[in-house]
Amino acid sequence: MKTVAIVGASLAGLSAARSLRVQGYDGRLLVIGDESHRPYDRPPLSKEFLTGAVSEAELALETDGEDLGAEWILGARAVGLGTRDRTVRLADDREVRADGVVIATGATARTLPGSDGLAGVHVVRTLDDARALRDDLALGGRLMVVGGGFVGAEVASTARGMGLDVTLVVAGPTPLSGVLGPDMAAAVSLLHGDHGVRLLCGTGVRGVTGGPADGSGTDRGRVTAVLLDDGRSIPADIVVAGIGATPCTGWLEGSGVALDNGVRCGTDGTTSVPGVVAVGDCAAWYDPALTDHRRIEHWTGAKERPATAVAALLSGGTAPFAPPRPPYFWSDQYGVRIQFAGHAAQADSVTVEDGDPADRSFLAVYRRAGHPVAVLGVDRTKVFTRWRRQLATAAAQAGVA
C-alpha cells in the first residue's frame, strides 16, 4: 500500500494512524476530519471541561513533538466512497484516492423534537457543543437533562456541582438500566438523589417549547420548558439531550460497504469491501460472546481496536489477531468512579462481592451458569481491576475474548 486514508480525525482515527506507523507502514497517510480541530479527548467534555478544570489545550490527544508524517485534511466532510478505486469524495468536491481506507467517522448526537433553532438546548458530542453548553451553564438556572446514559448522568453531576437546579428525565426505570441491568442501575442511580438531583423516570419527552427572545415573534428565542409524554410541562432554562447517537454512515450509502446500525465488520474490523476497515463509534464489530454485531461507543474501544483493524488492512485480512477484550467503560459522577466490563445482558444472576451499595461503594459480579460475564465497580478501583483482568482471561480461554 502506498496511500492510506483515514476518514475521521478523533481518537479512533488517531489510534489508527499511530498503529499504522507502529506496524511499519511508511507510505502516504491522509487523515480527513469534518471538524476543524486536531484530535481531542471527548470524555472531559461532559465533566471537567464544563467547569473550566480542563482547558482546550489539555484536551489535545497528540503528544508534544509527535509527528506521524500525516497529511491532515480538516474541516472537510466525506460525502461518498468509491470502493472500486477507494476514492473518498468530500463535500467541497475534492476527491482523495487511496489503496486502503480506515472508516472512523464516529456518530452524531440525537436531538430532541422541536429543538431546532431554539437557544439553550444542547447536545454534548463535540468541542463546539461543549463550548456552547459551558457558556450557558455559567449563567446558572434550571437545567433539564434528558436521557440517563453516561453523558446525561455526567452533565447532571457536573452542573449540580456548579450549583444549578438539575432534573434528570429518563424513559426507562432508572438511568443506565440498559447497560447495568435493573438492580445495579437502581443502586447506582441513588447517587443522583444523594446530591439533590431530581429523577423523573419512566416517561419520555415529547418535545421542547420556547419563546421569542425579544417578544417580537420573529424568532424561536430560548427554551422555556420540556414537554413530557405523560403530559407534564417542566420549566427549564437549559436543556441537554443525552439520548444516544446515530452512526455517521450516511456517506457510505450505495458504496457497497455493508451497513447495519453502523459499518458491519468482522471480529478484526474488516468490512464487506477489501481494503476498507472500520473503527470507533461507527463500527459494528462482530462479538462472538453475543453472536451478533455490536457498536462499542466507549473510549477504550476507540483506543485499542484500531491496532487490530490496521493489521488486517495491511495484511489483506490474513494477519493473526486476538479478538477484542470484553467492552469496558468508566464514568465519573459526584466524585465517584463507576467502572464496568463485559455484557450485563448475558447474565442470569448478579451478586455484590465487596462493599455495600448503601455506602455507594461496592463491586458486583454478573454470572451466567455460574461463570463471570461482567463486573461492576463503584469506587472499588483496585478490586475491579483484578476482576476485569480475570474476566478478560476467562473470555480469552473460552475463545470469545
Side-chain angles (χ1 to χ4, degrees):
M1 285 190 179
K2 295 182 178 180
T3 302
V4 173
I6 299 172
V7 188
S10 59
L11 175 61
L14 177 62
S15 297
R18 287 170 169 164
S19 295
L20 281 163
R21 294 310 191 199
V22 167
Q23 295 182 31
Y25 174 73
D26 59 2
R28 187 184 184 202
L29 178 58
L30 305 171
V31 183
I32 303 165
D34 61 352
E35 293 184 68
S36 60
H37 313 292
R38 296 283 281 239
Y40 58 88
D41 207 16
R42 294 181 189 270
L45 296 182
S46 56
K47 301 184 285 292
E48 300 93 340
F49 181 76
L50 296 179
T51 65
V54 169
S55 68
E56 290 190 17
E58 291 173 307
L59 294 175
L61 287 171
E62 295 168 274
T63 60
D64 291 341
E66 182 176 18
D67 183 6
L68 294 170
E71 299 173 39
W72 295 83
I73 305 174
L74 302 178
R77 180 171 55 90
V79 296
L81 176 64
T83 51
R84 177 173 296 181
D85 57 1
R86 300 185 189 89
T87 298
V88 180
R89 297 189 297 275
L90 306 180
D92 59 10
D93 294 329
R94 282 183 292 173
E95 292 188 347
V96 175
R97 292 190 178 184
D99 303 301
V101 175
V102 180
I103 300 170
T105 41
T108 184
R110 297 191 181 101
T111 58
L112 292 170
S115 63
D116 290 348
L118 199 59
V121 182
H122 301 270
V123 295
V124 185
R125 188 76 191 182
T126 68
L127 176 57
D128 293 337
D129 293 337
R131 285 171 175 166
L133 176 58
R134 181 186 59 188
D135 292 344
D136 261 1
L137 292 180
L139 302 175
R142 299 163 298 183
L143 170 67
M144 175 75 77
V145 179
V146 181
F150 303 109
V151 170
E154 289 171 358
V155 170
S157 167
T158 301
R160 186 60 188 149
M162 297 170 68
L164 278 78
D165 178 278
V166 181
T167 300
L168 179 59
V169 181
V170 183
T174 62
L176 300 177
S177 58
V179 178
L180 304 182
D183 294 339
M184 292 300 101
V188 171
S189 70
L190 294 174
L191 286 167
H192 297 293
D194 291 344
H195 293 83
V197 170
R198 289 186 298 277
L199 269 180
L200 301 178
C201 298
T203 182
V205 169
R206 185 180 306 167
V208 293
T209 60
D214 57 5
S216 66
T218 58
D219 61 39
R220 296 204 61 203
R222 188 174 183 86
V223 65
T224 57
V226 174
L227 304 178
L228 305 185
D229 283 343
D230 60 15
R232 284 179 290 174
S233 177
I234 309 296
D237 304 303
I238 309 167
V239 175
V240 174
I243 52 177
T246 302
C248 295
T249 56
W251 68 285
L252 295 168
E253 295 285 350
S255 67
V257 174
L259 305 176
D260 183 9
N261 186 31
V263 180
R264 191 177 177 91
C265 301
T267 50
D268 58 354
T270 52
T271 72
S272 59
V273 175
V276 179
V277 298
V279 296
D281 292 359
C282 69
W285 285 33
Y286 182 76
D287 188 327
L290 300 177
T291 63
D292 196 5
H293 292 79
R294 181 70 61 89
R295 290 192 302 116
I296 301 298
E297 298 181 75
H298 302 302
W299 189 94
T300 307
K303 176 76 172 177
E304 296 178 347
R305 292 190 173 195
T308 298
V310 161
L313 180 68
L314 295 177
S315 69
T318 63
F321 66 94
R325 293 195 295 170
Y328 162 73
F329 68 80
W330 78 93
S331 178
D332 295 317
Q333 302 173 27
Y334 308 103
V336 173
R337 171 61 60 98
I338 301 165
Q339 297 170 283
F340 185 84
H343 298 286
Q346 285 186 287
D348 54 30
S349 68
V350 56
T351 56
V352 174
E353 309 262 327
D354 187 43
D356 189 337
D359 298 328
R360 314 299 189 253
S361 178
F362 64 95
L363 181 128
V365 179
Y366 300 68
R367 291 182 172 85
R368 182 179 184 86
H371 300 288
V373 293
V375 59
L376 166 68
V378 178
D379 252 5
R380 278 292 196 268
T381 303
K382 290 184 178 180
V383 66
F384 173 86
T385 300
R386 292 198 297 270
W387 267 101
R388 183 191 175 200
R389 191 177 300 118
Q390 294 175 30
L391 189 70
T393 299
Q397 290 174 345
V400 292

